[in-house]
Amino acid sequence: MAVRVEDLIDLRDVRQVRGKQSPNLISQDSFRQIEILAKELGFREVHLSQASDIVTARWVRLKCRYGCAKYNTSWCCPPAAPNLQMTRDILSEYELAILLVSENTNEHFYRNSPSKRRIQIKQWKSTIALERKLFLMGYYKAFGLPADTCALCKECAYPKQCKFPNEKRPTMEACGIDVFQTLKNLDLSTGLVRKVQDCFYSYSLILLA
Ligand code: SF4
């Protein structure tokens, strides 16, 4: 079916506001469809962005390496996740991405509790389910980078073989993506949550085309 020019979201308009330019177009109907699918899967917000808005930085993996107990314990975290150069090369093969926002509260954020794991698994599976739906819609390059870390197994099998390889993905931070700067580039709030009982947002990404 032919798509009318007036039905297209022209990301150039978005870019002009931010002083950049891109030739990317996606139909408003397609984006609305993606939004509906994402919301059905529990995401609160869906933002279309250019892959060039996604920022990578060395400090991100530094924080993984020094200060995170997950380092070298999961297939989805460094050093198993794509390194910075590989991430930059991968991003250069995409023009569009979808940022997905989830809203959560979890008093047990700093504890390995069943409630924490439930939230992690839901976000993980929702991102991968949407990636699959996008693939079936024709976005054959769709690739998800879910929020947090993979908790599909109580304990990751790493370095032994992953138990659910179809659902194995790296997280944004694990690939060296600077989520804070990326959010700023999309004019989204980057406020920190200071009390563990407060609501917080988490972010997943799907590289699209
Ligand atoms: S599915 Fe299990 S083994 Fe595979 S990355 Fe996730 S936690 Fe690790």
Side-chain angles (χ1 to χ4, degrees), residues 1 4 18 35 38 44 47 96-97 103 119 140 146 153 174 202:
M1 189 183 75
R4 293 178 309 166
R18 296 178 191 140
E35 231 179 349
R44 174 197 154 97
H47 299 276
L96 294 177
E103 186 178 17
I119 293 172
Y140 61 90
C153 308
S202 37

Side-chain angles (χ1 to χ4, degrees), residues 70 73-77 117 124 149-158 160-169:
K70 283 281 171 191
T73 66
S74 166
W75 282 111
C76 306
C77 294
R117 194 160 161 244
W124 201 270
T149 189
C150 184
L152 296 180
C153 308
K154 249 185 174 175
E155 227 175 277
C156 185
Y158 179 84
K160 294 196 180 137
Q161 206 175 357
C162 172
K163 300 219 171 106
F164 300 99
N166 290 349
E167 295 173 275
K168 183 169 76 168
R169 301 286 184 283

Side-chain angles (χ1 to χ4, degrees), residues 122-187:
K122 184 173 182 299
Q123 286 181 169
W124 201 270
K125 284 187 169 282
S126 298
T127 307
I128 292 165
L130 185 59
E131 177 207 283
R132 176 79 185 146
K133 285 173 191 283
L134 291 168
F135 173 80
L136 294 174
M137 281 168 70
Y139 297 102
Y140 61 90
K141 285 163 67 178
F143 187 79
L145 295 98
D148 214 324
T149 189
C150 184
L152 296 180
C153 308
K154 249 185 174 175
E155 227 175 277
C156 185
Y158 179 84
K160 294 196 180 137
Q161 206 175 357
C162 172
K163 300 219 171 106
F164 300 99
N166 290 349
E167 295 173 275
K168 183 169 76 168
R169 301 286 184 283
T171 68
M172 274 203 275
E173 293 88 343
C175 294
I177 292 175
D178 179 342
V179 179
F180 281 88
Q181 189 57 51
T182 301
L183 293 177
K184 282 185 193 165
N185 287 356
L186 298 176
D187 297 330

Side-chain angles (χ1 to χ4, degrees), residues 105-132:
T105 45
N106 183 7
E107 287 188 26
H108 307 294
F109 186 82
Y110 292 106
R111 277 185 252 152
N112 277 332
S113 68
S115 70
K116 178 176 178 179
R117 194 160 161 244
R118 263 198 302 277
I119 293 172
Q120 286 174 302
I121 290 175
K122 184 173 182 299
Q123 286 181 169
W124 201 270
K125 284 187 169 282
S126 298
T127 307
I128 292 165
L130 185 59
E131 177 207 283
R132 176 79 185 146

